[in-house]
Coordinates of all heavy atoms in Angstrom, one line a residue:
S1 N -22.3 -7.5 -0.6 CA -22.6 -7.6 -2.0 C -23.9 -6.8 -2.3 O -24.7 -6.6 -1.4 CB -22.7 -9.0 -2.5 OG -23.7 -9.7 -1.9
R2 N -24.0 -6.4 -3.5 CA -25.2 -5.6 -3.9 C -25.7 -6.2 -5.2 O -24.9 -6.5 -6.1 CB -24.7 -4.2 -4.1 CG -25.8 -3.2 -4.5 CD -25.2 -1.8 -4.7 NE -24.4 -1.8 -5.9 CZ -23.6 -0.9 -6.2 NH1 -23.5 0.2 -5.5 NH2 -22.8 -0.9 -7.3
Q3 N -27.0 -6.4 -5.3 CA -27.6 -7.0 -6.5 C -27.9 -5.9 -7.5 O -28.5 -4.8 -7.2 CB -28.9 -7.7 -6.1 CG -28.7 -9.0 -5.4 CD -28.2 -10.1 -6.3 OE1 -28.4 -10.0 -7.5 NE2 -27.5 -11.0 -5.7
E4 N -27.5 -6.1 -8.7 CA -27.9 -5.2 -9.9 C -28.4 -6.1 -11.0 O -28.2 -7.3 -11.0 CB -26.6 -4.5 -10.4 CG -26.0 -3.6 -9.4 CD -24.7 -2.9 -10.0 OE1 -24.2 -3.4 -11.0 OE2 -24.3 -1.9 -9.4
R5 N -29.1 -5.4 -11.9 CA -29.7 -6.2 -13.0 C -29.1 -5.5 -14.3 O -29.1 -4.3 -14.5 CB -31.2 -6.2 -13.0 CG -31.7 -7.0 -11.9 CD -33.3 -7.1 -12.1 NE -33.8 -8.0 -11.1 CZ -34.0 -9.3 -11.2 NH1 -33.6 -9.9 -12.3 NH2 -34.4 -10.0 -10.2
S6 N -28.7 -6.4 -15.2 CA -28.2 -6.0 -16.5 C -29.1 -6.7 -17.5 O -29.0 -8.0 -17.6 CB -26.7 -6.3 -16.7 OG -26.3 -5.9 -17.9
F7 N -29.9 -6.0 -18.3 CA -30.8 -6.6 -19.2 C -31.7 -7.7 -18.5 O -32.0 -8.7 -19.1 CB -30.0 -7.3 -20.4 CG -29.2 -6.3 -21.1 CD1 -27.9 -6.3 -21.0 CD2 -29.8 -5.3 -22.0 CE1 -27.1 -5.3 -21.7 CE2 -29.1 -4.4 -22.6 CZ -27.7 -4.4 -22.5
G8 N -32.1 -7.4 -17.3 CA -32.9 -8.3 -16.5 C -32.2 -9.5 -15.9 O -32.8 -10.2 -15.1
I9 N -30.9 -9.6 -16.1 CA -30.2 -10.7 -15.5 C -29.5 -10.2 -14.2 O -28.8 -9.2 -14.1 CB -29.1 -11.2 -16.4 CG1 -29.7 -11.7 -17.7 CG2 -28.2 -12.3 -15.7 CD1 -28.7 -11.9 -18.8
P10 N -29.9 -10.8 -13.0 CA -29.3 -10.4 -11.7 C -27.8 -10.6 -11.7 O -27.3 -11.6 -12.2 CB -30.0 -11.2 -10.7 CG -30.6 -12.3 -11.4 CD -30.8 -12.0 -12.8
R11 N -27.1 -9.7 -11.1 CA -25.6 -9.9 -10.9 C -25.3 -9.2 -9.6 O -25.7 -8.1 -9.3 CB -24.9 -9.1 -12.0 CG -23.4 -9.2 -11.9 CD -22.7 -8.4 -12.9 NE -21.4 -8.3 -12.5 CZ -20.3 -8.6 -13.2 NH1 -20.5 -9.0 -14.4 NH2 -19.1 -8.5 -12.8
A12 N -24.4 -9.9 -8.8 CA -24.0 -9.4 -7.5 C -22.7 -8.7 -7.7 O -21.8 -9.1 -8.4 CB -23.8 -10.6 -6.6
R13 N -22.6 -7.5 -7.1 CA -21.3 -6.7 -7.1 C -20.8 -6.7 -5.7 O -21.6 -6.5 -4.8 CB -21.6 -5.3 -7.6 CG -22.2 -5.2 -9.0 CD -21.2 -5.6 -10.0 NE -20.4 -4.4 -10.4 CZ -19.7 -4.4 -11.4 NH1 -19.7 -5.3 -12.3 NH2 -18.9 -3.3 -11.7
H14 N -19.6 -6.9 -5.5 CA -19.0 -7.1 -4.2 C -18.0 -5.9 -3.8 O -17.3 -5.5 -4.7 CB -18.3 -8.4 -4.0 CG -19.2 -9.6 -4.3 ND1 -19.3 -10.2 -5.5 CD2 -20.0 -10.2 -3.4 CE1 -20.1 -11.2 -5.4 NE2 -20.6 -11.2 -4.2
S15 N -18.0 -5.5 -2.6 CA -17.1 -4.6 -2.1 C -16.6 -5.1 -0.7 O -17.3 -5.7 0.0 CB -17.8 -3.2 -1.8 OG -18.2 -2.6 -3.0
V16 N -15.3 -4.8 -0.5 CA -14.7 -5.2 0.8 C -14.0 -4.0 1.3 O -13.2 -3.4 0.6 CB -13.7 -6.4 0.6 CG1 -13.1 -6.8 1.9 CG2 -14.4 -7.6 -0.1
R17 N -14.3 -3.7 2.6 CA -13.7 -2.5 3.2 C -12.9 -3.0 4.5 O -13.5 -3.7 5.3 CB -14.7 -1.5 3.6 CG -14.1 -0.3 4.3 CD -15.2 0.8 4.5 NE -15.7 1.0 3.1 CZ -16.5 2.0 2.8 NH1 -16.9 2.8 3.7 NH2 -16.9 2.2 1.6
C18 N -11.7 -2.7 4.6 CA -10.9 -3.0 5.8 C -11.1 -1.9 6.9 O -10.8 -0.8 6.6 CB -9.4 -3.2 5.5 SG -8.4 -3.6 6.9
S19 N -11.5 -2.3 8.1 CA -11.7 -1.3 9.1 C -10.4 -0.9 9.8 O -10.4 0.1 10.5 CB -12.7 -1.9 10.2 OG -12.1 -3.1 10.8
E20 N -9.3 -1.6 9.5 CA -8.0 -1.3 10.1 C -7.3 -0.2 9.3 O -6.9 0.8 9.8 CB -7.2 -2.5 10.2 CG -7.7 -3.6 11.2 CD -7.6 -3.1 12.6 OE1 -6.6 -2.5 13.0 OE2 -8.6 -3.3 13.3
C21 N -7.2 -0.4 8.0 CA -6.4 0.5 7.1 C -7.3 1.3 6.2 O -6.8 2.1 5.5 CB -5.3 -0.3 6.3 SG -6.0 -1.3 5.0
R22 N -8.6 1.1 6.2 CA -9.6 1.8 5.5 C -9.5 1.6 4.0 O -10.0 2.4 3.2 CB -9.6 3.3 5.9 CG -10.0 3.5 7.3 CD -10.1 5.0 7.7 NE -8.9 5.8 7.3 CZ -8.0 6.1 8.2 NH1 -8.0 5.7 9.4 NH2 -7.0 6.9 7.9
S23 N -8.8 0.6 3.5 CA -8.7 0.3 2.1 C -10.0 -0.3 1.6 O -10.7 -0.9 2.4 CB -7.6 -0.7 1.8 OG -6.3 -0.1 2.0
V24 N -10.3 -0.1 0.4 CA -11.6 -0.7 -0.2 C -11.3 -1.4 -1.5 O -10.6 -0.8 -2.4 CB -12.6 0.5 -0.5 CG1 -13.9 -0.1 -1.1 CG2 -12.9 1.2 0.8
L25 N -11.8 -2.6 -1.7 CA -11.8 -3.3 -2.9 C -13.2 -3.3 -3.5 O -14.1 -3.8 -2.8 CB -11.2 -4.7 -2.7 CG -9.8 -4.9 -2.4 CD1 -9.5 -6.3 -1.9 CD2 -8.9 -4.5 -3.6
R26 N -13.4 -2.9 -4.7 CA -14.7 -3.0 -5.4 C -14.5 -3.9 -6.6 O -13.7 -3.7 -7.5 CB -15.1 -1.6 -5.8 CG -15.6 -0.8 -4.6 CD -16.3 0.5 -5.1 NE -16.8 1.2 -4.0 CZ -16.1 2.1 -3.2 NH1 -14.8 2.3 -3.5 NH2 -16.7 2.7 -2.2
E27 N -15.4 -4.9 -6.7 CA -15.4 -5.8 -7.9 C -15.9 -5.0 -9.1 O -16.9 -4.4 -9.1 CB -16.3 -6.9 -7.6 CG -16.3 -8.0 -8.7 CD -17.2 -9.1 -8.4 OE1 -18.3 -8.9 -7.8 OE2 -16.9 -10.2 -8.7
V28 N -15.0 -5.1 -10.2 CA -15.4 -4.4 -11.4 C -15.8 -5.4 -12.5 O -16.5 -5.1 -13.4 CB -14.3 -3.5 -12.0 CG1 -14.1 -2.3 -11.0 CG2 -13.0 -4.2 -12.2
S29 N -15.3 -6.6 -12.4 CA -15.7 -7.8 -13.3 C -15.2 -9.0 -12.6 O -14.7 -9.0 -11.5 CB -15.1 -7.6 -14.7 OG -13.7 -7.7 -14.6
D30 N -15.5 -10.2 -13.2 CA -15.1 -11.4 -12.6 C -13.6 -11.4 -12.3 O -12.7 -11.2 -13.2 CB -15.4 -12.6 -13.5 CG -16.9 -12.8 -13.6 OD1 -17.6 -12.4 -12.7 OD2 -17.4 -13.4 -14.6
H31 N -13.2 -11.7 -11.0 CA -11.9 -11.8 -10.6 C -11.0 -10.5 -10.8 O -9.8 -10.6 -10.8 CB -11.2 -13.0 -11.2 CG -11.9 -14.3 -11.1 ND1 -12.1 -14.9 -9.9 CD2 -12.7 -15.0 -12.0 CE1 -12.8 -16.0 -10.1 NE2 -13.2 -16.0 -11.3
R32 N -11.7 -9.4 -11.0 CA -10.9 -8.1 -11.1 C -11.5 -7.1 -10.2 O -12.7 -7.0 -10.1 CB -11.0 -7.6 -12.6 CG -10.3 -8.6 -13.5 CD -10.4 -8.2 -15.0 NE -9.9 -6.9 -15.2 CZ -8.6 -6.6 -15.5 NH1 -7.7 -7.5 -15.5 NH2 -8.2 -5.4 -15.7
W33 N -10.6 -6.4 -9.5 CA -11.0 -5.5 -8.4 C -10.4 -4.1 -8.6 O -9.2 -4.0 -9.0 CB -10.6 -6.0 -7.1 CG -11.2 -7.4 -6.8 CD1 -10.8 -8.6 -7.2 CD2 -12.3 -7.6 -6.0 NE1 -11.6 -9.6 -6.8 CE2 -12.6 -9.0 -6.0 CE3 -13.2 -6.8 -5.2 CZ2 -13.6 -9.6 -5.3 CZ3 -14.2 -7.4 -4.5 CH2 -14.4 -8.8 -4.6
R34 N -11.1 -3.0 -8.2 CA -10.5 -1.7 -8.2 C -10.1 -1.5 -6.7 O -10.9 -1.6 -5.8 CB -11.5 -0.6 -8.6 CG -10.9 0.8 -8.6 CD -11.8 1.9 -9.1 NE -12.5 1.5 -10.3 CZ -12.1 1.6 -11.5 NH1 -10.9 2.1 -11.7 NH2 -12.8 1.3 -12.5
Y35 N -8.9 -1.1 -6.5 CA -8.3 -0.9 -5.1 C -8.2 0.5 -4.8 O -7.6 1.3 -5.5 CB -6.9 -1.6 -5.2 CG -6.3 -1.9 -3.8 CD1 -7.0 -1.8 -2.6 CD2 -5.0 -2.4 -3.7 CE1 -6.5 -2.2 -1.4 CE2 -4.4 -2.7 -2.5 CZ -5.2 -2.6 -1.4 OH -4.6 -3.0 -0.2
A36 N -8.9 0.9 -3.7 CA -8.8 2.3 -3.2 C -8.0 2.2 -1.9 O -8.5 1.6 -0.9 CB -10.2 2.9 -3.0
V37 N -6.9 2.9 -1.8 CA -6.0 2.8 -0.6 C -6.0 4.2 0.1 O -5.9 5.2 -0.6 CB -4.6 2.4 -1.0 CG1 -3.7 2.3 0.2 CG2 -4.6 1.1 -1.8
D38 N -6.1 4.2 1.4 CA -6.0 5.4 2.2 C -4.5 5.9 2.2 O -3.7 5.2 2.7 CB -6.5 5.2 3.6 CG -6.6 6.4 4.4 OD1 -5.6 7.2 4.3 OD2 -7.5 6.6 5.1
P39 N -4.2 7.1 1.7 CA -2.8 7.5 1.6 C -2.2 7.8 3.0 O -1.0 7.7 3.1 CB -2.9 8.8 0.8 CG -4.3 9.3 1.0 CD -5.2 8.1 1.1
I40 N -3.0 8.1 4.0 CA -2.5 8.3 5.3 C -2.1 7.0 6.0 O -1.1 6.8 6.6 CB -3.5 9.1 6.2 CG1 -3.9 10.4 5.5 CG2 -3.0 9.3 7.6 CD1 -2.8 11.4 5.4
A41 N -3.0 6.0 5.9 CA -2.8 4.7 6.5 C -1.7 3.9 5.9 O -1.0 3.2 6.5 CB -4.1 3.9 6.5
N42 N -1.5 4.0 4.5 CA -0.5 3.2 3.9 C 0.0 3.9 2.6 O -0.5 3.6 1.5 CB -1.0 1.8 3.5 CG 0.1 0.8 3.2 OD1 1.1 1.2 2.7 ND2 -0.1 -0.4 3.6
P43 N 0.9 4.8 2.7 CA 1.4 5.6 1.6 C 2.1 4.8 0.5 O 2.0 5.1 -0.7 CB 2.4 6.6 2.1 CG 2.6 6.2 3.6 CD 1.6 5.3 4.0
D44 N 2.8 3.7 0.9 CA 3.4 2.8 -0.1 C 2.4 2.1 -1.0 O 2.6 2.1 -2.2 CB 4.3 1.8 0.6 CG 5.5 2.4 1.3 OD1 5.9 3.5 0.9 OD2 6.0 1.8 2.2
L45 N 1.4 1.5 -0.4 CA 0.4 0.9 -1.2 C -0.4 1.9 -2.0 O -0.9 1.6 -3.2 CB -0.6 0.0 -0.4 CG -0.1 -1.3 0.1 CD1 -1.1 -2.1 0.9 CD2 0.3 -2.2 -1.1
Y46 N -0.6 3.1 -1.5 CA -1.3 4.1 -2.2 C -0.6 4.5 -3.5 O -1.2 4.5 -4.6 CB -1.4 5.4 -1.3 CG -2.1 6.5 -2.0 CD1 -3.5 6.6 -2.1 CD2 -1.4 7.5 -2.6 CE1 -4.1 7.7 -2.7 CE2 -2.0 8.6 -3.3 CZ -3.4 8.6 -3.3 OH -4.0 9.7 -3.9
Q47 N 0.7 4.6 -3.4 CA 1.5 4.9 -4.6 C 1.5 3.8 -5.7 O 1.4 4.1 -6.9 CB 3.0 5.1 -4.3 CG 3.2 6.4 -3.5 CD 3.0 7.6 -4.4 OE1 3.3 7.6 -5.6 NE2 2.6 8.7 -3.8
R48 N 1.5 2.5 -5.2 CA 1.5 1.4 -6.1 C 0.2 1.0 -6.7 O 0.1 0.6 -7.9 CB 2.1 0.2 -5.4 CG 3.6 0.3 -5.1 CD 4.1 -0.8 -4.3 NE 3.9 -2.1 -4.9 CZ 4.0 -3.2 -4.2 NH1 4.4 -3.2 -2.9 NH2 3.8 -4.4 -4.8
F49 N -0.9 1.1 -5.9 CA -2.2 0.5 -6.3 C -3.4 1.3 -6.3 O -4.5 0.9 -6.8 CB -2.5 -0.7 -5.4 CG -1.5 -1.8 -5.6 CD1 -0.5 -2.1 -4.6 CD2 -1.5 -2.6 -6.7 CE1 0.4 -3.1 -4.7 CE2 -0.5 -3.6 -6.9 CZ 0.4 -3.9 -5.9
N50 N -3.4 2.5 -5.8 CA -4.6 3.3 -5.6 C -5.3 3.6 -7.0 O -4.7 4.1 -7.9 CB -4.4 4.6 -4.9 CG -5.7 5.3 -4.6 OD1 -6.5 4.8 -3.9 ND2 -5.9 6.5 -5.1
G51 N -6.6 3.2 -7.1 CA -7.4 3.5 -8.3 C -7.1 2.5 -9.4 O -7.7 2.6 -10.4
K52 N -6.2 1.6 -9.2 CA -5.9 0.6 -10.3 C -6.8 -0.6 -10.2 O -7.2 -1.0 -9.1 CB -4.4 0.2 -10.2 CG -3.5 1.4 -10.5 CD -2.1 0.9 -10.5 CE -1.2 2.1 -10.8 NZ 0.2 1.8 -10.7
I53 N -7.0 -1.2 -11.3 CA -7.7 -2.5 -11.4 C -6.7 -3.6 -11.4 O -5.8 -3.6 -12.2 CB -8.6 -2.5 -12.7 CG1 -9.7 -1.4 -12.6 CG2 -9.3 -3.9 -12.8 CD1 -10.5 -1.3 -13.9
I54 N -6.9 -4.5 -10.4 CA -6.0 -5.6 -10.2 C -6.8 -6.9 -10.2 O -8.0 -6.9 -9.9 CB -5.1 -5.4 -9.0 CG1 -6.0 -5.3 -7.7 CG2 -4.2 -4.3 -9.1 CD1 -5.2 -5.2 -6.4
D55 N -6.1 -8.0 -10.6 CA -6.8 -9.3 -10.5 C -6.5 -10.0 -9.2 O -5.7 -9.5 -8.4 CB -6.3 -10.1 -11.7 CG -4.8 -10.4 -11.7 OD1 -4.1 -10.1 -10.7 OD2 -4.3 -10.9 -12.8
E56 N -7.2 -11.1 -9.0 CA -7.1 -11.8 -7.7 C -5.8 -12.4 -7.5 O -5.3 -12.5 -6.4 CB -8.2 -12.9 -7.7 CG -9.6 -12.3 -7.5 CD -10.7 -13.3 -7.3 OE1 -10.4 -14.5 -7.3 OE2 -11.8 -12.8 -7.2
Q57 N -5.1 -12.8 -8.6 CA -3.7 -13.3 -8.4 C -2.8 -12.2 -7.9 O -1.9 -12.5 -7.0 CB -3.2 -13.8 -9.8 CG -1.8 -14.5 -9.6 CD -1.8 -15.7 -8.7 OE1 -2.8 -16.5 -8.7 NE2 -0.7 -15.8 -7.9
T58 N -2.9 -11.0 -8.3 CA -2.1 -9.9 -7.8 C -2.4 -9.7 -6.3 O -1.5 -9.5 -5.5 CB -2.4 -8.6 -8.5 OG1 -2.1 -8.8 -9.9 CG2 -1.5 -7.5 -8.0
L59 N -3.7 -9.8 -5.9 CA -4.1 -9.7 -4.5 C -3.4 -10.8 -3.6 O -2.9 -10.5 -2.5 CB -5.6 -9.7 -4.3 CG -6.3 -8.5 -4.7 CD1 -7.8 -8.8 -4.7 CD2 -6.0 -7.3 -3.9
I60 N -3.4 -12.0 -4.2 CA -2.7 -13.1 -3.5 C -1.2 -12.9 -3.3 O -0.7 -13.0 -2.2 CB -3.0 -14.4 -4.2 CG1 -4.5 -14.8 -4.1 CG2 -2.2 -15.6 -3.6 CD1 -5.0 -15.9 -5.0
E61 N -0.6 -12.4 -4.4 CA 0.8 -12.1 -4.3 C 1.1 -11.0 -3.4 O 2.1 -11.0 -2.6 CB 1.3 -11.8 -5.7 CG 1.3 -13.0 -6.7 CD 1.6 -12.6 -8.1 OE1 1.8 -11.4 -8.4 OE2 1.5 -13.5 -9.0
L62 N 0.3 -10.0 -3.4 CA 0.5 -8.9 -2.5 C 0.3 -9.3 -1.0 O 1.1 -8.9 -0.1 CB -0.6 -7.8 -2.8 CG -0.5 -6.5 -1.9 CD1 0.8 -5.8 -2.0 CD2 -1.6 -5.6 -2.3
S63 N -0.6 -10.2 -0.8 CA -0.8 -10.7 0.6 C 0.4 -11.5 1.1 O 0.9 -11.3 2.2 CB -2.0 -11.7 0.6 OG -2.1 -12.3 1.8
H64 N 1.0 -12.3 0.2 CA 2.2 -13.0 0.5 C 3.4 -12.1 0.7 O 4.2 -12.2 1.7 CB 2.6 -14.0 -0.6 CG 1.6 -15.2 -0.7 ND1 1.3 -16.0 0.4 CD2 0.9 -15.6 -1.7 CE1 0.4 -16.9 0.0 NE2 0.1 -16.7 -1.3
E65 N 3.5 -11.0 -0.1 CA 4.6 -10.1 0.0 C 4.5 -9.3 1.4 O 5.5 -9.2 2.1 CB 4.5 -9.0 -1.1 CG 5.4 -7.9 -1.1 CD 5.2 -6.9 -2.2 OE1 4.8 -7.3 -3.3 OE2 5.3 -5.7 -1.9
L66 N 3.3 -8.9 1.7 CA 3.1 -8.2 3.0 C 3.3 -9.1 4.2 O 3.8 -8.6 5.2 CB 1.8 -7.5 3.0 CG 1.5 -6.4 2.0 CD1 0.1 -5.9 2.1 CD2 2.5 -5.3 2.2
T67 N 2.9 -10.4 4.1 CA 3.1 -11.3 5.2 C 4.6 -11.6 5.4 O 5.0 -11.7 6.6 CB 2.4 -12.6 4.9 OG1 1.0 -12.3 4.7 CG2 2.5 -13.6 6.0
H68 N 5.4 -11.7 4.4 CA 6.8 -12.0 4.5 C 7.6 -10.8 5.0 O 8.8 -10.9 5.4 CB 7.4 -12.5 3.2 CG 6.9 -13.9 3.0 ND1 6.0 -14.1 2.0 CD2 7.2 -15.1 3.6 CE1 5.7 -15.4 2.0 NE2 6.4 -16.0 2.9
N69 N 7.0 -9.6 5.0 CA 7.7 -8.4 5.4 C 7.7 -8.3 6.9 O 6.7 -8.0 7.5 CB 7.0 -7.1 4.8 CG 7.8 -5.9 5.1 OD1 8.9 -5.9 5.6 ND2 7.2 -4.8 4.8
N70 N 8.8 -8.7 7.6 CA 9.0 -8.7 9.0 C 8.0 -9.7 9.7 O 7.7 -9.5 10.9 CB 8.8 -7.3 9.6 CG 9.8 -6.4 9.2 OD1 11.0 -6.8 8.9 ND2 9.5 -5.1 9.1
G71 N 7.5 -10.7 9.0 CA 6.7 -11.7 9.6 C 5.3 -11.3 9.9 O 4.5 -12.1 10.4
Q72 N 4.9 -10.1 9.6 CA 3.5 -9.6 9.8 C 3.1 -8.6 8.7 O 4.0 -8.1 8.0 CB 3.3 -9.0 11.1 CG 4.2 -7.8 11.4 CD 4.0 -7.2 12.8 OE1 2.9 -7.2 13.3 NE2 5.1 -6.7 13.4
R73 N 1.9 -8.4 8.6 CA 1.4 -7.5 7.6 C 1.8 -6.1 8.0 O 1.7 -5.7 9.1 CB -0.1 -7.5 7.4 CG -0.6 -8.9 7.0 CD -2.1 -8.8 6.7 NE -2.6 -10.2 6.5 CZ -2.5 -10.7 5.3 NH1 -2.0 -10.1 4.3 NH2 -3.0 -12.0 5.1
S74 N 2.3 -5.3 7.0 CA 2.8 -4.0 7.3 C 1.7 -2.9 7.1 O 1.9 -1.8 7.4 CB 4.0 -3.7 6.4 OG 3.6 -3.7 5.0
T75 N 0.5 -3.3 6.6 CA -0.5 -2.3 6.3 C -1.3 -1.9 7.5 O -1.9 -0.9 7.5 CB -1.5 -2.8 5.2 OG1 -2.0 -4.0 5.7 CG2 -0.7 -3.0 3.9
A76 N -1.2 -2.7 8.6 CA -2.0 -2.3 9.8 C -1.3 -2.9 11.0 O -0.5 -3.8 10.9 CB -3.4 -3.0 9.6
P77 N -1.6 -2.4 12.1 CA -1.0 -2.9 13.3 C -1.4 -4.4 13.6 O -2.5 -4.8 13.2 CB -1.5 -2.0 14.5 CG -2.4 -1.0 13.8 CD -2.5 -1.3 12.4
A78 N -0.5 -5.1 14.2 CA -0.8 -6.5 14.4 C -1.8 -6.6 15.6 O -1.7 -5.9 16.6 CB 0.5 -7.2 14.8
H79 N -2.8 -7.5 15.4 CA -3.8 -7.7 16.3 C -4.0 -9.2 16.5 O -3.7 -10.0 15.6 CB -5.2 -7.1 15.9 CG -5.1 -5.6 15.9 ND1 -5.2 -4.8 17.0 CD2 -5.1 -4.8 14.8 CE1 -5.2 -3.6 16.6 NE2 -5.1 -3.5 15.3
S80 N -4.6 -9.6 17.6 CA -4.8 -11.0 17.8 C -6.1 -11.5 17.1 O -6.3 -12.7 16.8 CB -5.0 -11.3 19.3 OG -6.0 -10.6 19.8
T81 N -6.9 -10.6 16.7 CA -8.1 -10.9 15.9 C -8.1 -10.2 14.6 O -7.5 -9.1 14.4 CB -9.4 -10.5 16.7 OG1 -9.4 -9.1 16.9 CG2 -9.6 -11.2 18.0
P82 N -8.7 -10.8 13.5 CA -8.6 -10.2 12.2 C -9.5 -9.0 12.2 O -10.5 -8.9 13.0 CB -9.2 -11.3 11.3 CG -10.0 -12.2 12.2 CD -9.3 -12.1 13.5
P83 N -9.3 -8.1 11.2 CA -10.1 -6.9 11.2 C -11.6 -7.2 10.7 O -11.8 -8.2 10.0 CB -9.4 -6.0 10.1 CG -8.6 -7.0 9.3 CD -8.3 -8.1 10.3
D84 N -12.5 -6.4 11.1 CA -13.9 -6.5 10.6 C -14.0 -5.9 9.2 O -13.3 -4.9 8.9 CB -14.8 -5.7 11.5 CG -14.9 -6.3 12.9 OD1 -14.8 -7.6 13.0 OD2 -15.1 -5.6 13.9
F85 N -14.8 -6.5 8.4 CA -15.0 -6.0 7.0 C -16.4 -5.5 6.9 O -17.3 -6.2 7.3 CB -14.7 -7.0 6.0 CG -13.2 -7.3 5.9 CD1 -12.6 -8.4 6.6 CD2 -12.3 -6.5 5.2 CE1 -11.3 -8.6 6.6 CE2 -11.0 -6.7 5.1 CZ -10.5 -7.8 5.8
V86 N -16.6 -4.4 6.3 CA -17.9 -3.8 6.0 C -18.2 -4.0 4.6 O -17.4 -3.6 3.7 CB -18.0 -2.3 6.5 CG1 -19.3 -1.7 6.2 CG2 -17.5 -2.2 7.9
D87 N -19.4 -4.5 4.2 CA -19.7 -4.8 2.8 C -20.6 -3.7 2.2 O -21.1 -4.0 1.1 CB -20.2 -6.2 2.6 CG -21.6 -6.3 3.3 OD1 -22.0 -5.4 4.0 OD2 -22.2 -7.4 3.2
D88 N -20.7 -2.5 2.8 CA -21.5 -1.5 2.1 C -20.7 -0.9 1.0 O -19.5 -0.9 1.0 CB -22.0 -0.5 3.1 CG -20.9 0.3 3.8 OD1 -19.8 0.0 3.6 OD2 -21.3 1.2 4.5
D89 N -21.4 -0.2 0.1 CA -20.7 0.4 -1.1 C -20.7 1.9 -1.1 O -20.5 2.5 -2.1 CB -21.3 -0.2 -2.3 CG -20.4 0.0 -3.5 OD1 -19.2 0.1 -3.3 OD2 -20.9 0.1 -4.7
T90 N -21.0 2.5 0.1 CA -21.0 3.9 0.2 C -19.8 4.5 0.8 O -19.0 3.9 1.4 CB -22.3 4.4 1.0 OG1 -22.2 3.8 2.3 CG2 -23.5 4.0 0.3

């Protein structure tokens, strides 16, 4: 997260980066995220969501959709440990 001030009021902005598929979620407002998808790592999600602002409910539904696809997430190879997330915004 990154602290910003708007009219002197502190506000945290959050970013989430997946080290497996290189997708990035950037918070644009409360419960709303801009999704940046790597077209090489996941062309299907790139077509559907790249650059779009989506809400948290859509993220939850997408997670369920990808989990039910062959019993594992289709966006990255299956691993025994979850991917690392980098919270920088650059």
